[in-house]
């Protein structure tokens, strides 16, 4: 059983394997995406029950535009429909929703729905759910640097702290635990800066099959890790 006293504050997840989950069942890839929404719901519940403060999920990467246009279109519609369907439930559960990424490329109606959902849930504090959409770690670092330069920050004033505070997720502590489902062992341009000292956990389970016991396994694994942050073991005791 996981230990309540040493829960990660922030869990970040690459929700991968929807397409393969569907293919295994002779279903179209999009069926896997639709089922993936249920896994997000379960994971939110699991985080709420454990008192985890921040959950960040990778929903659509900067590179996912390279997929067939029908799949991209389905994902956009699914995002819109899920926002419309779930925002009230998020709000009732005191969840603050943040959508992070270059949303300017989305349809105006989707952009409006994102703004509305974020506004409605802005003062909630049980859990901060961040959905990374048209997000890329490289985009994030670039937009932070541009923001600082635009504000007249010169080379000498460019510090780690300044850059970190201009990143899209500056309101959250860096993730303690990174989970990637679907078997691939890569970051795929997710939170490049913020994952510097995050504990990494990979599972072959496809995202639509991810449930509370999978979340529990990841947290238990996290709790066996010694986080040294460059120090020696001896210095930690
Ligand atoms: C992750 O599942 C969902 C998105 C990237 C939107 P995939 O669609 O990448 O599923 P696989 O990797 O093809 O199985
Ligand atoms: C990463 O998954 C992006 C999301 C989960 C949204 P991909 O399936 O797109 O990653 P790659 O392309 O296989 O690395
Ligand atoms: Mg994939």
């Amino acid at each position: 059983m996981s230990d309540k006293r040493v829960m990660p504050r922030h869990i970040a997840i690459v929700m991968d394997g929807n397409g393969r989950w569907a293919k295994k069942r002779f279903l179209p890839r999009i069926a896997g995406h639709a089922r993936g929404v249920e896994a997000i719901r379960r994971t939110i519940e699991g985080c709420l029950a454990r008192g985890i403060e921040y959950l960040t999920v990778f929903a659509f990467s900067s590179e996912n535009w390279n997929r067939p246009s029908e799949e991209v279109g389905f994902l956009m519609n699914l995002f819109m429909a899920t926002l419309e369907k779930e925002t009230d439930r998020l709000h009732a559960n005191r969840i603050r929703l943040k959508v992070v990424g270059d949303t300017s490329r989305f349809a105006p109606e989707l952009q409006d729905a994102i703004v509305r959902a974020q506004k409605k849930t802005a003062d909630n504090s049980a859990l901060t759910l961040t959905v990374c959409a048209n997000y890329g770690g490289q985009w994030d670092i670039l937009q932070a640097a541009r923001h600082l330069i635009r504000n007249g920050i010169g080379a000498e004033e460019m510090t780690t702290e300044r850059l970190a505070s201009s990143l899209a997720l500056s309101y959250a502590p860096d993730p303690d635990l990174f989970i990637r489902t679907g078997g691939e062992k890569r970051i795929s341009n997710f939170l490049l800066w913020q994952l510097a000292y995050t504990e990494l956990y990979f599972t072959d389970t496809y995202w639509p099959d991810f449930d509370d016991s999978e979340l529990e396994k990841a947290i238990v694994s996290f709790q066996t890790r010694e986080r040294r942050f460059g120090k020696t073991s001896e210095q930690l005791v």
Side-chain angles (χ1 to χ4, degrees):
M1 255 273 275
S2 58
D3 183 343
K4 278 255 170 219
R5 294 162 304 175
V6 278
M7 279 295 159
R9 277 188 79 193
H10 184 176
I11 299 180
I13 308 184
V14 176
M15 311 183 288
D16 196 21
N18 293 351
R20 281 163 288 160
W21 179 92
K23 194 174 173 197
K24 213 173 90 182
R25 288 164 177 76
F26 305 101
L27 295 168
R29 292 178 54 82
I30 55 173
H33 298 316
R35 280 297 280 267
V37 176
E38 290 169 38
I40 302 180
R41 209 179 287 133
R42 285 195 293 271
T43 305
I44 292 171
E45 280 167 20
C47 288
L48 281 175
R50 289 175 177 81
I52 288 156
E53 294 168 72
Y54 298 88
L55 171 66
T56 300
V57 295
F58 204 5
F60 192 87
S61 76
S62 319
E63 289 72 31
N64 287 146
W65 295 107
N66 296 323
R67 294 191 175 200
S69 60
E70 308 80 59
E71 182 168 342
V72 171
F74 181 87
L75 286 166
M76 293 299 145
N77 290 339
L78 183 64
F79 191 15
M80 182 79 188
T82 306
L83 272 179
E84 281 176 347
K85 194 164 158 243
E86 302 287 341
T87 300
D88 285 348
R89 195 203 306 236
L90 292 178
H91 191 48
N93 283 297
R94 313 304 305 149
I95 296 168
R96 171 169 72 143
L97 176 71
K98 294 273 204 184
V99 178
V100 155
D102 182 6
T103 52
S104 68
R105 207 173 149 182
F106 294 156
E109 309 81 64
L110 179 53
Q111 292 187 42
D112 287 349
I114 290 169
V115 170
R116 262 185 278 123
Q118 292 189 127
K119 256 199 196 133
K120 180 164 185 165
T121 62
D123 296 328
N124 294 337
S125 58
L127 169 74
T128 297
L129 169 67
T130 301
V131 176
C132 294
N134 196 17
Y135 178 87
Q138 293 174 343
W139 165 84
D140 198 359
I141 295 167
L142 186 65
Q143 69 78 29
R146 280 183 174 156
H147 169 82
L148 291 173
I149 292 166
R150 238 183 263 123
N151 285 285
I153 301 296
E156 303 314 317
E157 298 159 307
M158 191 71 83
T159 59
T160 308
E161 293 72 27
R162 279 220 167 94
L163 218 133
S165 67
S166 298
L167 293 169
L169 267 102
S170 60
Y171 52 85
D174 287 344
D176 302 294
L177 171 61
F178 163 98
I179 300 172
R180 180 167 185 147
T181 62
E184 312 296 353
K185 290 175 185 66
R186 53 179 177 250
I187 305 287
S188 298
N189 199 14
F190 195 27
L191 305 161
L192 296 179
W193 176 287
Q194 299 88 339
L195 293 177
Y197 262 107
T198 303
E199 297 299 330
L200 308 179
Y201 178 89
F202 298 93
T203 170
D204 290 336
T205 301
Y206 295 141
W207 177 249
D209 289 330
F210 194 83
D211 61 10
D212 199 71
S213 73
E214 295 285 337
L215 178 63
E216 177 69 10
K217 261 194 263 174
I219 293 171
V220 167
S221 168
F222 166 80
Q223 292 181 339
T224 66
R225 316 279 180 95
E226 181 179 69
R227 303 188 77 191
R228 289 192 287 276
F229 298 99
K231 295 182 179 174
T232 69
S233 274
E234 292 69 30
Q235 286 177 292
L236 300 175
V237 287

